[in-house]
Amino acid sequence: APSAPGAHALALTKASTVSFDISPTKQADYLRPWLSMLLAKQCVHGILWSQFADSEANRWPHGGLIDSSGAAKPLFAVMAEMRKQHLQ
């Protein structure tokens, strides 16, 4: 899920976001219940995020866990929190 509207210069696809009402916080809020649902399934052994940072060439615009300036997006904290909860 993207964290900003529009295309991104480093994206390898011409895709852009559909909604203009999106932000890093909304990205985290949207994905939190999906990640929780996935982790509740016995067949799920982990969740991989294919795009770490927006500052690197990537497939999806604004889909990284780190923004273009190098700051962690709220989703990074959500995933770290879930990792801590489920690995203890």
Side-chain angles (χ1 to χ4, degrees), residues 16 21 31 65 68 72 85 88:
S16 71
D21 186 28
L31 288 168
L65 298 174
S68 294
Q85 287 175 349
Q88 291 183 350

Side-chain angles (χ1 to χ4, degrees), residues 8-85:
H8 190 278
L10 295 176
L12 300 175
T13 63
K14 300 293 182 199
S16 71
T17 58
V18 175
S19 172
F20 289 101
D21 186 28
I22 196 158
S23 69
T25 301
K26 288 183 180 184
Q27 177 192 41
D29 292 344
Y30 175 78
L31 288 168
R32 183 188 307 267
W34 287 98
L35 296 172
S36 293
M37 180 194 63
L38 286 170
L39 290 171
K41 305 295 180 184
Q42 283 186 331
C43 62
V44 174
H45 296 275
I47 296 173
L48 302 175
W49 201 260
S50 67
Q51 183 173 320
F52 183 67
D54 290 343
S55 62
E56 302 168 356
N58 54 63
R59 184 168 182 164
W60 307 110
H62 313 290
L65 298 174
I66 307 294
D67 68 19
S68 294
S69 69
K73 295 181 187 178
L75 181 57
F76 187 89
V78 167
M79 292 182 80
E81 172 189 325
M82 288 184 169
R83 181 180 187 273
K84 185 176 179 182
Q85 287 175 349

